[in-house]
Amino acid sequence: FGTIPLGRSIAKRAIIDRCYVIGRLLVALTYIIQEANVSRQLITLINVSREDVSRIQAWLKDDEVADSWFGRYAYGDPAHLGYHPTELIAASDETWDRTFKNPEHRISSIYTAEGDHIGEVHIAVEESLYDGQLSILIGRKDLWHHGYGTSALRATLEMAFKVLGLARIWVDVPEYNVAARNMFRHMGFVHEGTLRKSRPHHGSRFDSVVMGMCVPLSTRDRIKLIFGLLSFRRHTALMTGFKHGTWTN
């Protein structure tokens, strides 16, 4: 392969490093844009009302909606973490407050910018571990695949990491809900494990996928890390080059 004189190799490394900087800055810029999008949400998260619970109950009567949420219990009713919609609609104010002011279950309604109720988010918080299980329901099927789920996910992550101070968020998604798995993967969740045959669905049992996200670096820390890695790469390259006097190609 031969060798490359020191001067030429340093110039070559400088070009490579510039390309590396540009590439990493583009990645950082992507994150900055994503964070900026949080302030331009398609949705807003607000406190749950009794009318919202009535709509949740109606939406979950649709098998397709129920299957995209938590499916059904063995006795046939739609599954719902945190509360039973049928029971809570007529519950006392004390029971209502106990449900929606529970620090271990952070539940919010999803409303569009136009003021329409379209779904619900829920974080089941494990305070001792500083993590939480996240679930998102868009009950309006006519609004599926229009970005509302992603927008709700961004807002919920903002709440989980910056308001609640959690260190990790995870989801349990049935393997047949490909759209949800792709959404979480796009937002940075990684596959952490598989629960075998954990979800009953249309007379069969299916695996579910556990995906998680740890608290992300801030934009400033991300850029500092990029330039720190770059400085280390340049220092290592120069020390290696000066030691040998040539670069092996």
Side-chain angles (χ1 to χ4, degrees), residues 53-54 56-58 60 78-80 83-90:
V53 173
S54 295
I56 291 289
Q57 180 188 29
L60 289 177
H80 190 292
Y83 66 87
H84 295 285
T86 303
E87 299 174 2
L88 202 61
I89 290 174

Side-chain angles (χ1 to χ4, degrees), residues 118-230:
I118 64 170
E120 184 178 280
V121 299
H122 177 204
I123 304 176
V125 177
E126 182 59 60
E127 292 182 324
S128 61
L129 299 176
Y130 289 94
D131 78 358
Q133 180 183 2
L134 166 65
S135 53
I136 298 176
L137 171 68
I138 302 298
R140 287 269 305 271
K141 289 170 59 175
D142 59 311
L143 297 180
W144 285 6
H145 312 300
H146 284 73
Y148 289 99
T150 301
S151 188
L153 175 56
R154 286 197 183 102
T156 308
L157 290 175
E158 180 89 355
M159 175 175 65
F161 291 132
K162 295 187 178 181
V163 178
L164 302 181
L166 300 183
R168 174 177 169 269
I169 283 290
W170 62 280
V171 294
D172 176 7
V173 186
E175 62 177 333
Y176 53 79
N177 194 341
V178 178
R181 285 163 48 202
N182 289 339
M183 177 186 71
F184 288 115
R185 186 180 299 111
H186 172 74
M187 289 295 294
F189 283 69
V190 297
H191 181 210
E192 296 182 341
T194 301
L195 302 176
R196 299 177 58 203
K197 309 302 179 186
S198 63
R199 292 295 186 95
H201 180 62
H202 294 174
S204 300
R205 297 193 69 88
F206 292 83
D207 294 347
S208 65
V209 177
V210 175
M211 305 174 73
M213 170 186 279
C214 294
V215 58
L217 292 173
S218 68
T219 301
R220 176 179 295 179
D221 288 342
R222 202 175 288 124
I223 293 175
K224 285 170 61 178
L225 179 61
I226 291 169
F227 280 99
L229 290 173
L230 177 61

Side-chain angles (χ1 to χ4, degrees), residues 82-83 88 94-103 105 107:
Y83 66 87
L88 202 61
E94 181 182 359
T95 300
W96 181 272
D97 289 343
R98 187 167 58 247
T99 299
F100 291 106
K101 293 182 180 179
N102 184 348
H105 291 277
I107 306 170

